[in-house]
Amino acid sequence: MASSGNMLPEKQFQCTICQQVFTDPVTTPCGHNFCQTCIQDVWDRSEVCQCPTCDKSFTTRPEISINTAFKELADTLRKMVVSSSASPLCAAKPGEITCDVCAATSLQVKALKSCLVCLTSYCEAHLEPHRRVATLKIHKLIEPVKNLQERMCKKHERLLEMFCRDEQKCVCQFCTETVHKGHQAVTIEDESGERKVQMKKTEADFQEMIQERMKKVEEIKNCLKLSNTSAEKEMKESDRLLTSLIRSIEERQTEVHTEIKEKQKAAERRAEEFVDELRQEITELQRRNIELEKLRDTEDHLHVLQRSPSLMSTPPTKEWMEIGVHPELCVGTVRGALSKLDNTLKYELDGLKKEEMKKMQKYAVDVVLDPYTAHPNIVLSADGKQAGRGELLHIVPDNPQRFDPVICVVGKSGFLSGRFYFQVAVGTKTFWDLGVVKESINRKGMITSKPENGYWTVRMRSGEEYRALDSPSVLLSLKEKPQIVGVFTDYEEGSVSFFDVEARSHIYTFTGCLFSERIFPFFSPGVSDEGKNTTPLVIQAVNH
C-alpha cells in the first residue's frame, strides 16, 4: 500500500519473517527489526542466534525489548491497512471467530481461516501471505475455530494429529513414539471419518427415537380422549345406580361426581406431564441431530472426536414406554363413596361391588412366579402358576432377590403404572399370604408385613383367622371362607383391594398407598400345619 501524506511505505513496517506489519517490534544489535514473537521463535528453533536478514551471528542471545515509538507507528499503519482492505461485512459479529493479528490492535475483524501450523486465526488481509509465500502455502488451513492452543499436546508442545484407539484420546506424533508406543494409532482424519459414519447411524437411531416419542404423544392424547369418554360414561352409570338407592345414597352423588372429575383432572395433569417430558426428549434429540449434521460436514477432525461421544450417547430417558393413560379412570369411585354409608345399605352396596369387580377383572394380567425369588422350601410348577410347600430344602443359588428364611415368592413382572388384577385359588389351605410388594423390600431375615415396609397383604392363619396387615393390622370378619381371592391394584390411585371371587364380595382395601417404584404380586403358601396345608397356591386365569 502506498503511503498517504507523509506516511512511509507499508513495506518498511513489515516483519521479514511473517511478512506482516510489525507486532511488538524489536531491534537486533545489527539494526534490523522483527516482531518480538517471530524473532524469539526463530532463535528458539536454532542452536545459533543470528539475524534472519543479514545472517550476523551473536555469541550470546541478545536481550531485546519492544521499540515503543516504532510500535505506535506500526499499530497505526496496521489499523489503516485493515480499514482499507476490510469491508463492513468483515467486522466480527458476537460469537464469530476474530483475527488474532487484528485483535492485537484491539480490532475485531472476522477470521476467514485458522492455521493449524501457526495456531493463529487470520482475516482475509492477514491470510494473504499463506496464499503467496511458498513456505506458508503448505500450512494446514481450516474453517475458523476457537482455542487453537488446545490443539497442542501439553506435554510435547506438538500438534495433536493422531488418535490413540487404545486410550480413546488425541495425541501428537511424539506421543505415539513414546507413551503410546505399541498402541493402535491412526490419523485424526481417519478416525474422524469413521466417527462420521457412526454419526450417520446415530442420527438415524435418534430419528427413530423421535418418531417413537411422537407416536407415544399421540397415543397419550388418544387415551386421554377415551378417558374423557369413559369418565362421562362412568358418571352416567353412577347416576343410574345411585338413583335406585335411598336418599342417603343420593346425597353421595355429588361426592361421586367430584371424585371422578378430580381423577380426570389428575389424569389430564399426568398426561400433560408425560407429553412435556416426551417433547423435551424430542427437542434434545433434534438438537443433537442438527449438531451431528454440522459435525459431519466440518473439516475440524479434532472437534469431531471431542464432540461426537457426548452427541452420540443415548440421552437419559425415563421409562416412558411403560407409562399409559387408561380410559377407565373411575373404577373404585362408587365403592369409595358407598363404603361410607350406614350398614343398613349393605344389600345395595353388595350389588354395586359385584359390578365393580367385573370392571376390575378387565385389568387381569398374566402372573408367572419368579424362581429366582422363591424360598428354597417352595416348590414351583413348571408353568410358574403354582407355589407349594416342599418338605426338603432345594439347592438353589443364594442371590439377593431370594426370600430366606420366610417362605415367599413374587411374580416375574413388576408394574410401574396403571392397574392390574390377578386371582389365586387358596382352596382349603389353612395358612397363606397374598398381596403386592415393592421391589426394594428386604428379603433376608424375618419380615414384618406392613405398608411402611412395602407390603400390602392379607393373610390367613390356623384355617380361620383372616387379617389385613395394615398399620395397625385389621381382623377381618368373613361370612364365608374364600376359595379364590382376587387382588386389584391401582398404581395412580394408590389402592390395593382384595375380593372373594366366587361370592363376589369385597374383603379389604388398602388406601393411600405410596407407590414410587415397581410393585410385584406376592405369595406365601405358608407352613405345613401338620400336613393340613400341603396344597399349593394356584394362579388362575380370569374368565370375563
Side-chain angles (χ1 to χ4, degrees):
M1 180 186 80
S3 63
S4 60
N6 295 323
M7 284 293 295
L8 293 174
E10 178 186 340
K11 189 172 183 180
Q12 295 186 18
F13 289 86
Q14 284 185 343
C15 171
T16 57
I17 298 175
C18 67
Q19 301 294 315
Q20 300 294 323
V21 177
F22 290 117
T23 300
D24 295 334
V26 296
T27 305
T28 60
C30 57
H32 294 107
N33 298 307
F34 305 97
C35 297
Q36 184 182 45
T37 302
C38 292
I39 191 63
Q40 287 179 343
D41 287 345
V42 169
W43 287 348
D44 287 344
R45 295 195 300 267
S46 175
E47 295 181 357
V48 178
C49 291
Q50 60 181 173
C51 174
T53 301
C54 66
D55 294 333
K56 180 177 177 60
S57 299
F58 307 104
T59 305
T60 59
R61 182 166 178 164
E63 292 186 7
I64 55 178
S65 58
I66 297 174
N67 187 326
T68 305
F70 200 40
K71 170 179 167 50
E72 292 177 356
L73 290 172
D75 289 348
T76 300
L77 180 61
R78 184 185 299 104
K79 292 179 180 178
M80 293 178 62
V81 172
V82 173
S83 298
S84 63
S85 61
S87 68
L89 293 177
C90 293
K93 298 177 182 179
E96 290 185 333
I97 309 300
T98 58
C99 173
D100 292 331
V101 180
C102 294
T105 60
S106 303
L107 290 177
Q108 298 295 309
V109 180
K110 179 181 177 181
L112 186 64
K113 293 287 184 180
S114 292
C115 178
L116 293 180
V117 179
C118 302
L119 294 180
T120 304
S121 296
Y122 297 106
C123 66
E124 185 171 4
H126 292 116
L127 185 65
E128 189 272 336
H130 279 74
R131 293 170 172 166
R132 175 171 49 83
V133 180
T135 55
L136 298 179
K137 285 182 178 180
I138 63 175
H139 287 192
K140 178 66 174 177
L141 298 177
I142 64 172
E143 294 302 311
V145 293
K146 294 181 180 179
N147 305 321
L148 284 167
Q149 290 300 326
E150 294 182 3
R151 298 170 178 273
M152 294 290 289
C153 173
K154 291 181 175 57
K155 184 175 182 180
H156 302 118
E157 295 186 354
R158 292 192 179 187
L159 190 65
L160 296 172
E161 53 187 349
M162 303 296 291
F163 183 81
C164 175
R165 288 180 171 170
D166 290 27
E167 298 189 17
Q168 290 293 297
K169 63 186 297 185
C170 297
V171 297
C172 70
Q173 186 67 44
F174 195 68
C175 286
T176 64
E177 299 169 1
T178 54
V179 180
H180 294 264
K181 187 175 183 180
H183 291 185
Q184 184 182 7
V186 297
T187 64
I188 60 173
E189 288 85 353
D190 289 344
E191 184 66 18
S192 175
E194 291 195 16
R195 290 285 179 90
K196 288 182 178 181
V197 174
Q198 297 172 12
M199 285 178 202
K200 189 173 183 179
K201 181 180 183 303
T202 302
E203 288 175 33
D205 292 341
F206 282 178
Q207 189 61 39
E208 183 178 350
M209 293 170 70
I210 290 171
Q211 294 302 322
E212 288 177 351
R213 283 155 177 75
M214 286 181 171
K215 183 178 179 181
K216 192 62 179 180
V217 169
E218 290 303 315
E219 180 184 334
I220 291 175
K221 288 181 178 179
N222 292 334
C223 287
L224 193 56
K225 291 179 182 178
L226 293 175
S227 175
N228 286 325
T229 303
S230 177
E232 293 175 1
K233 180 180 178 182
E234 212 44 59
M235 286 190 286
K236 291 179 181 179
E237 180 67 10
S238 68
D239 288 343
R240 186 184 69 79
L241 293 173
L242 290 171
T243 52
S244 67
L245 302 178
I246 62 176
R247 187 169 183 174
S248 58
I249 298 179
E250 293 176 344
E251 294 174 354
R252 298 288 181 183
Q253 186 170 335
T254 301
E255 180 180 336
V256 172
H257 284 184
T258 300
E259 188 171 351
I260 291 174
K261 290 176 181 178
E262 288 177 351
K263 286 185 178 181
Q264 181 57 25
K265 289 179 181 178
E268 291 174 352
R269 288 194 300 269
R270 185 172 177 83
E272 290 173 356
E273 290 174 359
F274 293 160
V275 170
D276 286 342
E277 291 173 0
L278 289 168
R279 282 175 175 164
Q280 289 174 13
E281 289 191 29
I282 291 170
T283 300
E284 170 62 14
L285 289 169
Q286 289 173 336
R287 182 190 70 78
R288 291 194 184 193
N289 253 8
I290 292 172
E291 288 199 37
L292 286 172
E293 288 176 2
K294 292 180 179 179
L295 206 57
R296 284 194 297 110
D297 295 333
T298 183
E299 299 175 2
D300 184 358
H301 307 295
L302 180 61
H303 186 56
V304 169
L305 300 182
Q306 290 175 336
R307 286 288 296 145
S308 59
S310 60
L311 290 176
M312 295 170 64
S313 62
T314 302
T317 179
K318 296 186 178 180
E319 297 177 289
W320 54 270
M321 291 300 290
E322 299 180 32
I323 296 173
V325 178
H326 301 278
E328 295 189 14
L329 296 171
C330 305
V331 174
T333 302
V334 177
R335 185 195 74 242
L338 295 179
S339 64
K340 301 176 183 177
L341 298 177
D342 190 82
N343 289 333
T344 57
L345 304 176
K346 186 177 184 306
Y347 177 78
E348 289 83 355
L349 288 175
D350 286 343
L352 291 176
K353 290 170 183 172
K354 290 178 182 179
E355 293 297 320
E356 181 186 358
M357 201 176 82
K358 289 181 181 179
K359 294 178 182 179
M360 292 183 179
Q361 288 179 329
K362 293 179 182 179
Y363 296 94
V365 295
D366 183 19
V367 176
V368 178
L369 300 173
D370 187 355
Y372 291 100
T373 68
H375 181 275
N377 256 133
I378 289 182
V379 177
L380 299 181
S381 61
D383 60 1
K385 297 293 184 178
Q386 299 184 28
R389 170 66 186 265
E391 292 300 324
L392 300 175
L393 287 171
H394 293 82
I395 299 176
V396 292
D398 183 17
N399 54 62
Q401 292 78 30
R402 192 177 304 283
F403 289 92
D404 192 10
V406 182
I407 303 175
C408 309
V409 63
V410 297
K412 285 186 177 181
S413 299
F415 300 85
L416 194 58
S417 66
R419 300 171 178 80
F420 63 94
Y421 172 88
F422 62 95
Q423 57 189 35
V424 183
V426 297
T428 59
K429 290 181 67 64
T430 57
F431 281 74
W432 52 259
D433 292 73
L434 292 174
V436 297
V437 296
K438 286 184 178 180
E439 184 175 20
S440 62
I441 57 170
N442 177 34
R443 308 187 186 202
K444 305 298 182 184
M446 299 309 296
I447 294 173
T448 301
S449 296
K450 58 181 180 179
E452 293 93 314
N453 295 339
Y455 289 79
W456 293 270
T457 60
V458 168
R459 78 180 186 190
M460 180 199 196
R461 293 292 183 267
S462 303
E464 57 184 5
E465 179 186 297
Y466 295 89
R467 189 175 290 273
L469 301 182
D470 211 330
S471 296
S473 65
V474 179
L475 184 63
L476 304 174
S477 298
L478 306 181
K479 286 187 176 181
E480 300 177 358
K481 291 185 177 182
Q483 302 295 300
I484 302 175
V485 177
V487 183
F488 174 78
T489 303
D490 188 324
Y491 196 101
E492 281 72 25
E493 186 181 68
S495 64
V496 182
S497 300
F498 296 80
F499 295 87
D500 182 335
V501 176
E502 292 183 329
R504 293 189 175 277
S505 61
H506 176 249
I507 295 176
Y508 188 79
T509 294
F510 291 86
T511 59
C513 308
L514 299 177
F515 298 138
S516 57
E517 57 184 270
R518 291 182 190 277
I519 52 177
F520 291 77
F522 172 83
F523 311 83
S524 175
V527 299
S528 176
D529 194 18
E530 299 179 347
K532 293 182 288 184
N533 192 46
T534 57
T535 57
L537 293 172
V538 181
I539 301 171
Q540 288 199 333
V542 175
N543 297 318
H544 298 292

